[in-house]
Amino acid sequence: MQVFKTIKSLREQVQAWKSQGLTVGFVPTMGNLHAGHLSLIHVAREQCDRVIASIFVNPLQFGPNEDFDSYPRTFDADQSKLKAQMVDGLFFPSVDEMYPSGEIQTTVHVPAELTGLLEGASRPGHFDGVTTVVNKLFNMVQPDVAVFGQKDFQQFAVISKMVTDLAMPVKLIRAPIGRDEDGLALSSRNQYLTQEQRAIAPKLYTTLLDIELAIKSGNRDFTALTMAASKQLLLHGFDFVDYIHVVNPITLMASKACDGSFVILAVAKLGNTRLLDNILLSKLD
Ligand code: AMP
């Protein structure tokens, strides 16, 4: 596995592969890799001849009081995991390589209809940081296929909108959520949890499963379902529920009873740690 720290070296290799007619799959990450990330690599590998992963903790997508400084950086372990997955190239740029103009930076903004609600409401500016860095990474890697996790459901919707609106020549794939044995969605932030909090954390998923079951049984009173779920999470020991909503998977607007597809999105906090999860229900009658 080659490690590229510069855009120039990355581009030279990608161009060499493309001139041989090989396709390139891309998995962008912030590192501290777990089995969920590695499942995305597996999907990329199935789709393409060559796979590039990137590790970049993107300052632009963190708010001033968020965990940019303390975000776990574990390059050596990540590198070994990617090698074991037979990844062909790892792009590991510095902040200066990614943002040579510093603060004076052109940004990509997807309209507020998709970016101002849910995560965007809790984390102002977050999605501008995400779309800007993903756009730059796409320009650098020029992948045929890029794989993202369903875990960050809104992020995928926002990136899809950017790719469609800006006619970017890349096929996006949304890969399923990797979970621990007890159902907790894998996340680099799970390691912030104390033992006691870790025991409570899987209740987020079981609470979403309860809503899923109710919807599958014909219940369409989304407000009552999500209010009850929110109370339940607090009873389980969560400190704060940022949101639980049942929304349309494309528009992210509140679901209507007559809709055929739903996504149940939730974010709840244990201490300062925000846990995200979701369940997608497609094509229900
Ligand atoms: P991150 O390093 O957290 O920015 O995540 C990089 C990519 O991995 C994103 O596309 C995430 O949606 C995806 N991802 C994170 N956690 C999981 C998970 N538990 N299962 C599948 N994909 C995930």
Side-chain angles (χ1 to χ4, degrees), residues 27-86:
V27 179
T29 80
M30 297 202 299
N32 195 239
L33 303 178
H34 50 63
H37 294 117
L38 302 182
S39 69
L40 308 189
I41 302 279
H42 185 73
V43 172
R45 158 87 42 235
E46 283 176 343
Q47 296 272 327
C48 295
D49 302 312
R50 295 288 180 270
V51 176
I52 291 189
S54 65
I55 295 180
F56 181 63
V57 185
N58 174 32
L60 225 60
Q61 71 189 66
F62 286 78
N65 298 317
E66 294 184 355
D67 56 346
F68 175 72
D69 288 332
S70 59
Y71 196 86
R73 289 162 171 87
T74 51
F75 181 76
D76 291 343
D78 293 345
Q79 190 178 8
S80 309
K81 288 177 190 171
L82 293 173
K83 254 189 208 162
Q85 295 292 315
M86 314 292 279

Side-chain angles (χ1 to χ4, degrees), residues 41-220:
I41 302 279
H42 185 73
V43 172
R45 158 87 42 235
E46 283 176 343
Q47 296 272 327
C48 295
D49 302 312
R50 295 288 180 270
V51 176
I52 291 189
S54 65
I55 295 180
F56 181 63
V57 185
N58 174 32
L60 225 60
Q61 71 189 66
F62 286 78
N65 298 317
E66 294 184 355
D67 56 346
F68 175 72
D69 288 332
S70 59
Y71 196 86
R73 289 162 171 87
T74 51
F75 181 76
D76 291 343
D78 293 345
Q79 190 178 8
S80 309
K81 288 177 190 171
L82 293 173
K83 254 189 208 162
Q85 295 292 315
M86 314 292 279
V87 165
D88 300 286
L90 166 56
F91 185 41
F92 180 53
S94 65
V95 173
D96 284 345
E97 183 74 3
M98 285 301 284
Y99 297 118
S101 344
E103 302 269 298
I104 304 166
Q105 166 73 34
T106 302
T107 56
V108 180
H109 176 70
V110 167
E113 282 75 5
L114 273 188
T115 55
L117 68 174
L118 303 165
E119 284 305 278
S122 298
R123 307 180 67 188
H126 169 68
F127 285 118
D128 289 351
V130 170
T131 43
T132 300
V133 80
V134 170
N135 190 4
K136 293 189 75 150
L137 288 167
F138 282 179
N139 286 335
M140 293 163 184
V141 177
Q142 305 207 350
D144 299 283
V145 170
V147 186
F148 294 85
Q150 182 191 317
K151 160 105 186 314
D152 298 285
F153 194 92
Q154 185 178 11
Q155 170 172 284
F156 188 84
V158 168
I159 292 170
S160 299
K161 176 81 175 147
M162 171 182 79
V163 164
T164 304
D165 287 355
L166 300 183
M168 300 170 82
V170 58
K171 175 182 165 193
L172 299 181
I173 295 184
R174 184 174 63 201
I177 302 176
R179 299 183 179 279
D180 254 335
E181 280 176 7
D182 58 9
L184 175 64
L186 295 168
S187 165
S188 305
R189 291 186 169 108
N190 290 350
Q191 63 197 272
Y192 298 154
L193 300 173
T194 64
Q195 213 177 344
E196 195 189 338
Q197 290 169 336
R198 178 62 189 77
I200 298 169
K203 303 285 188 196
L204 183 60
Y205 182 49
T206 52
T207 303
L208 292 182
L209 286 173
D210 290 343
I211 300 179
E212 178 189 35
L213 188 64
I215 294 175
K216 281 186 168 167
S217 317
N219 190 330
R220 295 290 182 272

Side-chain angles (χ1 to χ4, degrees), residues 15-23 49:
Q15 269 162 19
W17 285 332
K18 292 208 164 176
S19 66
Q20 295 166 45
L22 301 172
T23 54
D49 302 312

